[in-house]
Amino acid sequence: MQGILIFLLILLVMGSVACVMFRSKVKAAISLALISVILSIIMFALGQFWAAIFELSVCAGLVTVVFVCAVSLTRPDRHNQEVEEAYHKKVSGLPVFMVILGIGLMIILTMGNFDFSVTVDAAAQVRTFNDVFWNTRQADIIGQIIIILAGAFAVVILFKEGDKA
Amino acid sequence: MNSLTTAFFIAAAMILFAGCYMLVRSHNMIRLVIAVEVVMKAVTLVLVFAGYSNGNTALSQSFIITIIVAEVVVAVVATGIAIAVYRNNGDLDLRKLNKLNG
Amino acid sequence: MSASLATLVYAFIGLPLIAIVLLNLPNRKFAEKLCIGTGLFVCIVQMATAVIAVLLLIEFNKASMSFSQFWDMHVADDAAYFSVDFLSAVCLFCIGMVGAVSFAAAGSTVRDKILNYTNMMMVLLLGMNGIALVTDLFSVYVFLEISGIASFLLIALYRDPVGLEGAFKYLVMSAIASAFILLGSGLLFLEFGSLRFVVLEEMLQAGVYNNPPLVWLALFFLVAGFAIKSGNMPFHGWLPDAQTGAPSPVSIMLSGIVEQMSGTYATMRLIDIFLLNKFTVVNIGMMLLALLSIVLGAIAAVGQTDFKRTLAYSSISQIGYIVLGISCGTVLGYVGAVLHFFNHSTFKSTLFANAAAVKNQLHSTHYDDLGGLQKQMPIAAATSVIAGLSTAGLPPFAGFWSKLLIIIAVWQTQGAFVASVALLASIFTLAYFLRIQHKVFFGPEKQRPAVKEPKDGIAIASIALSVVTIGFGILFPVLLLALQTQGVL
């Protein structure tokens, strides 16, 4: 179990490096979707099924569609090849930095004698998601409704044709 | 110290760094929005792990679902603004906008 | 009687939601006529409700009044609920006040987009009311996102290049800030298994935590996130752009209240939770951020060439004073910060309302196009003198008293040097204010078609706010005495 999780985490980090390094924006968006898929597998493995389903359908699905649409609606201009090449050259140092950061953190965390043990809340463990979400997070649910409302208005304000000066 | 905890912390920090690096290095609006999403993935990973390790999975799932909803709407608004900018001046480079410097 | 009055607090969340639904039901032409009226109604009811809430709190002799049951599944004792206390009541009053000014200014400035404007303003009000009311760190994030999204859309309302650029910069910075805040919250959640203010406060003050490094890291991310949100100096890049790019009524909102609610108010709550006397390093860090904002913001404001941009830098500087007051960690500094919060809402919305009036007449806020407007626009000129003197902290205006309290509190805790730096920065405040007056209202008259000051909502709002500034300044000693007899100071 632990081995699988660590393998998934390594995949996740590699996915994020790929997302940054890709020349093409469509590929970056797709590797973002890949990150979401791996994240949702991690959620499944840790027993967080509702979150996993949402992550898989909304983040890996909907957000990718939004990004791919945006990329295809904004057709690149003539100099695009050069621009993307320049960008790739700019971020080419990333893998080195990532390796340094990873090793550094590993040294600090193992040498530093940290004890990140947290108290496990036994009473909370048995509570179901439905109970917690619908009963104790009412403020957040109202917030979600308002956010979705705002999203609907966003589409009206940003995409509605015809009344632009 | 638990090796799984270490692995999660390091992974979250590395993804966070990758996202911030992309944010600093890129000037393309859509790439900036993707970078923001990468940063949010690191944060989500921290929350997933937090719920798992303190046994409060129900609460962490409630958090994550709300975050996902907010994230999607922010992504839609951001890409919408980027598309509107593209329609105005045919480019997505933030440096070429600079109408506000002064 | 009082118990049924207490249900009024649901209006803070319910009323804007009902307004959105009602405005979008009838056909568009009809709804557009109702927009300004509805908006003013909602804001004024909110101000009245905030006052009633304060009276109820005093009558019940309670520190806070919570309300949570929107639907009755079964009562959970660890619910994330809404709650009104004195601090949030002051903030809710300010939100209502600045919202009303914005709607008054929108009557003559936002014409064809009025329905979209009103819808987004309602969402913005909901977001900020939520920030003021919630009792859970995660809910703070949710409502921060709501007010953020509403602000981006309001800035980009006309889809003009300037507005879109400002909105996008704000969006990216705000997304980073939200991610930091959420990361901090996540680390606290890992440590404590809950994010309710009550639980966090209890555990932190009792010192019941296993991993101090986690708490420190969480605190670092939270403070950084809120500093970006309130536009403190090293993280201020987005703010002047967003302010300048926004339509006039929206910049009233942004500068008058949004920055303060999403950054400063949340920092005040954080202080409540963390009781920063135990975290001295954070106090000092916040103090440095505040001093940097105060001094550099004021100096940058002197060099600007645009009315709105000057005011935006002035906001950075003034919000620095609020953060400075908070960073003292004493009651005196806290009270000073809350009062300066209120004062900043009044005088900054007066100044931005005047900028809106000027822009409405001349279609520009650049100093090259302005000058000598005093004869044509006497109301705007007079009210901005009052607001400017209050900003600079001259007696007897309201700004003097709140700055005085903050500087005394700083003197007591951080020593004379910091206090005198904060005091000297006021000279720069006076300098940029005089520059505004000179370039916009006084000075030689430019060649241009004659302008006339319309007797519209902006003029009424400016006069009302100036009355508040002067009245508050005169009544302030009375308020201080009342606070002292209550034992607060």
Side-chain angles (χ1 to χ4, degrees):
Chain A
M1 175 69 180
Q2 199 165 328
I4 299 171
L5 274 177
I6 288 174
F7 174 68
L8 284 173
L9 286 175
I10 292 169
L11 275 187
L12 203 59
V13 172
M14 281 162 66
S16 70
V17 174
C19 181
V20 179
M21 301 279 289
F22 269 128
R23 285 178 184 78
S24 126
K25 272 164 269 171
V26 177
K27 281 181 186 161
I30 289 170
S31 46
L32 185 69
L34 202 70
I35 298 175
S36 287
V37 172
I38 300 166
L39 191 57
S40 79
I41 296 171
I42 293 176
M43 287 171 181
F44 264 114
L46 298 182
Q48 308 190 359
F49 305 113
W50 283 99
I53 290 166
F54 265 76
E55 181 76 32
L56 196 61
S57 61
V58 179
C59 280
L62 189 60
V63 173
T64 315
V65 172
V66 169
F67 281 137
V68 172
C69 283
V71 173
S72 54
L73 276 176
T74 55
R75 271 183 293 43
D77 60 359
R78 286 171 285 125
H79 307 296
N80 192 50
Q81 205 83 41
E82 300 161 28
V83 173
E84 283 179 348
E85 208 53 54
Y87 168 75
H88 184 76
K89 204 170 277 176
K90 258 176 143 181
V91 296
S92 55
L94 183 68
V96 183
F97 291 136
M98 292 285 269
V99 170
I100 294 171
L101 179 75
I103 293 172
L105 276 176
M106 206 177 285
I107 291 169
I108 292 171
L109 286 176
T110 46
M111 295 288 160
N113 199 19
F114 291 114
D115 171 38
F116 284 129
S117 58
V118 290
T119 30
V120 177
D121 189 353
Q125 252 174 334
V126 294
R127 297 184 73 173
T128 61
F129 166 73
N130 269 331
D131 176 39
V132 171
F133 185 65
W134 291 104
N135 288 328
T136 72
R137 309 305 305 178
Q138 295 194 356
D140 292 356
I141 294 170
I142 288 175
Q144 281 192 35
I145 294 169
I146 302 168
I147 289 183
I148 292 169
L149 208 64
F153 287 132
V155 175
V156 173
I157 289 175
L158 292 172
F159 292 106
K160 200 174 170 204
E161 290 289 334
D163 53 2
K164 195 171 161 287
Chain B
M1 176 177 165
N2 192 339
S3 61
L4 192 62
T5 317
T6 323
F8 265 97
F9 271 120
I10 293 175
M14 285 170 88
I15 299 170
L16 187 70
F17 178 77
C20 290
Y21 191 78
M22 189 174 180
L23 209 61
V24 176
R25 284 301 196 169
S26 177
H27 299 281
N28 182 291
M29 293 172 90
I30 289 183
R31 248 191 242 284
L32 286 176
V33 184
I34 293 177
V36 167
E37 291 289 313
V38 174
V39 171
M40 288 308 286
K41 291 290 170 265
V43 177
T44 315
L45 187 68
V46 170
L47 277 168
V48 170
F49 175 68
Y52 165 73
S53 59
N54 65 19
N56 226 328
T57 45
L59 195 53
S60 74
Q61 289 188 73
S62 314
F63 289 162
I64 292 163
I65 287 175
T66 315
I67 292 170
I68 289 171
V69 170
E71 211 180 329
V72 172
V73 174
V74 170
V76 169
V77 172
T79 49
I81 292 174
I83 290 170
V85 167
Y86 180 79
R87 280 186 192 162
N88 271 339
N89 56 0
D91 204 289
L92 282 172
D93 196 326
L94 211 53
R95 285 167 304 181
K96 289 184 190 161
L97 292 178
N98 283 344
K99 291 197 168 61
L100 284 172
N101 278 355
Chain C
M1 174 59 191
S2 292
S4 59
L5 255 183
T7 53
L8 258 182
V9 290
Y10 282 93
F12 290 130
I13 297 295
L15 202 58
L17 269 178
I18 294 169
I20 291 176
V21 173
L22 287 184
L23 277 177
N24 290 289
L25 279 182
N27 75 3
R28 197 179 154 154
K29 283 273 172 287
F30 182 64
E32 279 179 347
K33 285 181 192 139
L34 297 177
C35 280
I36 300 291
T38 318
L40 283 173
F41 174 76
V42 169
C43 292
I44 289 166
V45 169
Q46 170 152 337
M47 285 157 76
T49 318
V51 173
I52 292 172
V54 170
L55 295 178
L56 284 175
L57 284 173
I58 292 171
E59 193 192 319
F60 292 155
N61 201 11
K62 282 201 292 194
S64 68
M65 199 161 50
S66 51
F67 58 108
S68 62
Q69 292 300 301
F70 287 90
W71 52 86
D72 200 8
M73 304 283 279
H74 68 252
V75 182
D77 55 351
D78 61 342
Y81 50 83
F82 293 122
S83 148
V84 189
D85 59 7
F86 286 107
L87 177 59
S88 53
V90 172
C91 294
L92 288 164
F93 185 83
C94 291
I95 295 168
M97 183 176 71
V98 180
V101 176
S102 177
F103 273 111
S108 55
T109 48
V110 185
R111 290 208 180 78
D112 46 340
K113 299 267 187 182
I114 192 73
L115 188 58
N116 284 339
Y117 167 79
T118 313
N119 283 333
M120 286 331 290
M121 276 292 286
M122 288 300 149
V123 175
L124 186 58
L125 285 180
L126 279 171
M128 286 190 297
N129 289 355
I131 297 170
L133 292 169
V134 292
T135 58
D136 184 295
L137 203 48
F138 184 76
S139 307
V140 171
Y141 159 78
V142 175
F143 284 94
L144 274 178
E145 287 290 281
I146 294 171
S147 50
I149 292 168
S151 314
F152 315 144
L153 289 171
L154 279 171
I155 296 170
L157 193 66
Y158 283 104
R159 278 187 276 174
D160 53 329
V162 193
L164 288 170
E165 185 189 347
F168 193 80
K169 282 182 180 168
Y170 186 15
L171 190 148
V172 171
M173 284 313 275
S174 164
I176 299 302
S178 303
F180 277 11
I181 292 165
L182 204 53
L183 194 57
S185 313
L187 294 173
L188 285 181
F189 172 59
L190 171 64
E191 179 64 39
F192 299 115
S194 169
L195 285 176
R196 291 161 61 217
F197 289 160
V198 190
V199 177
L200 292 179
E201 202 174 339
E202 196 181 297
M203 286 182 160
L204 281 164
Q205 291 190 11
V208 196
Y209 47 95
N210 303 333
N211 309 308
L214 271 187
V215 178
W216 280 103
L217 201 62
L219 195 53
F220 168 77
F221 279 119
L222 284 171
V223 170
F226 288 126
I228 298 175
K229 282 268 182 189
S230 55
N232 282 346
M233 200 56 182
F235 315 115
H236 70 289
W238 57 272
L239 197 144
D241 291 347
Q243 299 280 17
T244 321
S248 303
V250 180
S251 35
I252 295 177
M253 234 17 217
L254 280 179
S255 193
I257 197 80
V258 175
E259 285 158 28
Q260 296 184 57
M261 278 315 286
S262 49
T264 325
Y265 174 83
T267 321
M268 289 185 196
R269 285 285 175 224
L270 214 63
I271 298 288
D272 276 356
I273 298 169
F274 277 95
L275 198 80
L276 285 197
N277 296 324
K278 283 186 185 170
F279 294 83
T280 327
V281 181
V282 181
N283 268 351
I284 292 171
M286 272 170 69
M287 188 199 76
L288 289 177
L289 280 181
L291 277 183
L292 214 62
S293 314
I294 290 172
V295 177
L296 294 182
I299 291 174
V302 177
Q304 296 305 313
T305 53
D306 184 286
F307 192 4
K308 274 173 137 183
R309 234 178 146 77
T310 315
L311 294 180
Y313 277 103
S314 159
S315 290
I316 295 174
S317 168
Q318 296 304 315
I319 284 176
Y321 277 104
I322 304 178
V323 177
L324 189 68
I326 304 168
S327 77
C328 294
T330 58
V331 179
L332 190 65
Y334 197 78
V335 170
V338 174
L339 290 173
H340 203 61
F341 187 103
F342 176 81
N343 287 339
H344 183 248
S345 303
T346 28
F347 56 64
K348 203 43 63 68
S349 33
T350 317
L351 288 168
F352 266 107
N354 290 335
V358 169
K359 177 152 194 192
N360 204 17
Q361 294 302 313
L362 297 171
H363 306 288
S364 166
T365 52
H366 200 274
Y367 286 155
D368 291 348
D369 306 327
L370 310 177
L373 280 169
Q374 196 190 13
K375 281 216 182 87
Q376 287 110 330
M377 308 183 79
I379 299 175
T383 51
S384 76
V385 168
I386 293 169
L389 290 178
S390 185
T391 317
L394 263 68
F397 300 104
F400 167 71
W401 300 102
S402 50
K403 268 192 187 174
L404 187 70
L405 283 190
I406 290 171
I407 286 173
I408 292 172
V410 172
W411 194 299
Q412 284 172 351
T413 52
Q414 324 271 17
F417 176 71
V418 180
S420 44
V421 170
L423 202 59
L424 284 176
S426 283
I427 295 170
F428 284 106
T429 315
L430 203 59
Y432 67 70
F433 156 67
L434 286 177
R435 194 172 133 90
I436 291 177
Q437 285 296 329
H438 175 70
K439 294 281 184 190
V440 180
F441 295 111
F442 303 153
E445 209 168 312
K446 296 271 166 66
Q447 284 294 321
R448 62 167 165 256
V451 291
K452 252 182 78 178
E453 184 161 55
K455 301 282 178 289
D456 59 359
I458 302 177
I460 298 168
S462 305
I463 293 171
L465 287 171
S466 302
V467 170
V468 171
T469 307
I470 296 174
F472 198 64
I474 293 167
L475 290 177
F476 194 84
V478 183
L479 181 71
L480 265 190
L481 277 179
L483 282 174
Q484 199 162 27
T485 46
Q486 292 284 318
V488 179
L489 280 176

